[in-house]
Amino acid sequence: MKKLSRVCLLSIAVAASILSIEPAMAWGPHGRITEAALEVLPDLERWNHLLGKDNVDALVHYCLLPDLRGRDLGAFYADDYLLIRAMPYHAGHVMPGVQVTFEPYFHRALQALRTENPVNACRQLGPLVHFVEDVGAPPHAKEKCPHHTELENWVDAGQISIRGYQPRLLGRTDQEALEGMLARIAEVVKFSTERADRALPLVSAKSPDRAQVEPIILESALESARLTADVLHTVFTLGTAPQEEGASLSGTVTAAELPGNNDHGARIVLIGTDYCTLATTVAAPSAEAAWQGTYEFHHLPAGDYRVLAYRVGSQQVISEPVALAKGRPARLDFSLAPTEPAGNLVDNPDGRVRSLQEDVPDHWKVADTEAGRLWTASAIRTRPNQSHRCGAVLKDSRSKVRFELQGTPKKGETIEPTSAALAPGQASPAELHLTADDRRTTLVVYIEVPRDCATLSDAIERVWVVPTD
């Protein structure tokens, strides 16, 4: 019971963290649309019992994950659930580009419900819920729609309620449900495109009357909630249905302390497969382990697997092949050594972890530039007035490493970033110091490399950001 309580408390804390950085301008808002959908699920009491009410309730926050891409949310990164092997990049949120998200996140949500613990399963539902809801927004449904901000925000969230609606089961098999979901989404796209066409003349007027527009946008918000209810009813029904007995794997992960964020989970990946999960914190730091978490998989196909365990601030470990057999629970524990230097907040600082794409390290993205390529690490959350040692060991002296502190401006505000760079050609290892302030608390690492450096690992041995206080 003590471990379960710890996980539940972390889920609540994560939800609060997400809520605190919810985008100021978002469809619906998303959270109320999700809440309205949950309220009408006919088997909600059963889902709450199977998955935990706190986890199901947290969907009103997890549905925001695609709007928080690249963010450090405390116990996990948004990208831990957004970037999957079938969708290893961030997709657009409007038609027609958003259509690439539906099938991969549908299958990934079902997989999580069937093979992972409830905390991870409900988090993994977040991306599917978000993108399904997005197509209900008039400016997302209508391609190249002007007045985007007004058409997704001129709505009273307090009026979003679909009480009395009976959610549809979109299919009784995975394929049937996927086809049913795509057909239902197409209906909603048509519905909300028509609302966009009705609202645009009103919004485009010289002195638009919001009171005339709100009822039209509310119609789309209500239909978006009905679609979300259909999808949740279908995914929960299929994902929690009884299954044939399969193989299972669980274990404990111990890792180095992560300064200022020691509740952050550890990634567990069955290499070469779509199966992955997050080991969640279950124990307070102790003399034996600065951090400890547990993970579990169930109903896996039998077979031989190699398992990768990784946590920011610690080095990766890849297991020897482990044979998983039907009906025979297996256990595999991991002990992760600290990074060098210890306390490094850069995720995947040497680019060695590549579980999503062969040529792009996890938690990095790359873009072509005139001079070569620009690698960008996942953003690091810092505290106001916190100082950091920032440095790198280069393999190619032509590479340029820059550390930038960024802020999140409010509407109409501009916050210029503060940056510092290692001098080109500087002897390696090289290091500098950078201090966050009250307005700039997101630290991003950029590495510009020559075009003939095929991979990030060709340019650097490692890069680090370590708090000094």
Side-chain angles (χ1 to χ4, degrees):
M1 289 297 295
K2 190 172 183 180
K3 289 185 177 181
L4 179 60
S5 298
R6 174 67 170 163
V7 171
C8 288
L9 286 172
L10 280 175
S11 297
I12 295 170
V14 168
S17 174
I18 294 174
L19 186 61
S20 70
I21 55 175
E22 180 176 343
M25 308 301 281
W27 165 226
H30 276 286
R32 178 54 204 156
I33 291 174
T34 304
E35 189 175 36
L38 288 171
E39 289 170 353
V40 300
L41 295 184
D43 295 321
L44 181 59
E45 186 175 340
R46 178 168 178 258
W47 313 140
N48 285 339
H49 175 72
L50 288 173
L51 301 170
K53 187 176 186 303
D54 288 339
N55 295 319
V56 175
D57 287 347
L59 278 170
V60 303
H61 307 295
Y62 297 150
C63 71
L64 296 170
L65 290 179
D67 282 340
L68 302 172
R69 64 191 192 185
R71 298 283 194 98
D72 178 354
L73 302 177
F76 60 89
Y77 292 106
D79 288 354
D80 286 332
Y81 300 93
L82 292 175
L83 300 183
I84 59 178
R85 277 165 55 93
M87 181 61 62
Y89 55 87
H90 294 296
H93 295 221
V94 300
M95 290 291 292
V98 68
Q99 294 179 105
V100 302
T101 68
F102 303 138
E103 182 172 353
Y105 287 125
F106 171 78
H107 287 304
R108 184 67 184 90
L110 285 175
Q111 181 192 71
L113 284 165
R114 290 166 176 163
T115 64
E116 300 177 57
N117 67 20
V119 172
N120 280 288
C122 289
R123 290 176 185 169
Q124 192 59 67
L125 258 172
L128 176 65
V129 171
H130 182 98
F131 288 116
V132 163
E133 290 177 352
D134 262 352
V135 297
H140 289 248
K142 181 178 176 64
E143 297 180 29
K144 299 179 181 178
C145 184
H147 295 282
H148 190 113
T149 298
E150 296 95 327
L151 293 182
E152 72 173 358
N153 288 284
W154 282 13
V155 60
D156 180 358
Q159 296 188 49
I160 301 174
S161 174
I162 55 172
R163 291 191 182 278
Y165 179 70
Q166 298 294 319
R168 307 183 200 174
L169 184 65
L170 299 174
R172 297 189 178 280
T173 67
D174 291 5
Q175 185 59 34
E176 189 179 282
L178 174 62
E179 292 171 1
M181 183 182 74
L182 295 178
R184 182 75 175 93
I185 287 171
E187 293 176 359
V188 175
V189 170
K190 182 175 183 295
F191 181 97
S192 284
T193 298
E194 293 170 354
R195 271 64 191 171
D197 290 338
R198 282 171 49 197
L200 273 172
L202 301 173
V203 174
S204 302
K206 187 174 182 180
S207 299
D209 183 355
R210 177 167 173 163
Q212 291 184 304
V213 178
E214 281 194 356
I216 301 173
I217 310 305
L218 179 61
E219 291 178 19
S220 282
L222 296 176
E223 187 63 9
S224 181
R226 296 183 191 102
L227 167 62
T228 303
D230 295 345
V231 172
L232 285 174
H233 177 53
T234 301
V235 171
F236 278 145
T237 298
L238 296 180
T240 63
Q243 304 176 63
E244 291 185 12
E245 187 175 27
S248 62
L249 176 68
S250 62
T252 298
V253 183
T254 58
E257 181 180 5
L258 189 61
N261 193 11
N262 212 33
D263 279 335
H264 207 290
R267 294 173 61 211
I268 308 296
V269 180
L270 304 189
I271 296 174
T273 78
D274 293 331
Y275 297 105
C276 63
T277 194
L278 214 68
T280 51
T281 304
V282 295
S286 65
E288 292 76 26
W291 178 85
Q292 189 173 81
T294 60
Y295 72 93
E296 64 176 274
F297 293 101
H298 49 85
H299 295 99
L300 292 172
D304 292 337
Y305 297 90
R306 296 186 74 199
V307 185
L308 177 146
Y310 171 72
R311 181 176 186 253
V312 62
S314 296
Q315 299 179 37
Q316 69 167 335
V317 170
I318 298 177
S319 75
E320 295 297 322
V322 56
L324 301 184
K326 178 179 177 180
R328 296 182 182 177
R331 183 177 182 88
L332 191 59
D333 298 330
F334 292 93
S335 180
L336 310 183
T339 54
E340 174 56 44
N344 190 359
L345 300 181
V346 180
D347 202 334
N348 197 11
D350 54 13
R352 292 173 55 213
V353 179
R354 299 179 185 177
S355 66
L356 299 175
Q357 302 180 77
E358 288 186 7
D359 55 349
V360 179
D362 293 8
H363 287 284
W364 289 85
K365 60 183 179 180
V366 63
D368 288 331
T369 66
E370 290 185 6
R373 293 185 177 88
L374 180 66
W375 292 91
T376 305
S378 289
I380 298 167
R381 185 177 65 172
T382 71
R383 298 193 306 273
N385 305 313
Q386 186 175 53
S387 297
H388 306 83
R389 294 167 46 208
C390 305
V393 175
L394 303 181
K395 290 182 179 177
D396 190 311
S397 61
R398 298 171 297 168
S399 299
K400 301 174 183 178
V401 183
R402 177 165 55 91
F403 304 88
E404 185 171 280
L405 282 164
Q406 303 171 355
T408 304
K410 298 178 181 178
K411 186 178 180 181
E413 180 185 33
T414 300
I415 301 177
E416 293 296 331
T418 299
S419 65
L422 301 178
Q426 186 174 354
S428 190
E431 197 167 73
L432 55 81
H433 285 77
L434 198 60
T435 301
D437 57 31
D438 290 338
R439 305 181 74 202
R440 300 165 183 83
T441 56
T442 298
L443 202 160
V444 181
V445 180
Y446 299 98
I447 302 177
E448 188 174 344
V449 306
R451 194 168 300 278
D452 57 3
C453 283
T455 69
L456 178 62
S457 297
D458 291 333
I460 66 162
E461 181 180 308
R462 64 183 185 278
V463 63
W464 61 86
V465 171
V466 177
T468 58
D469 54 9

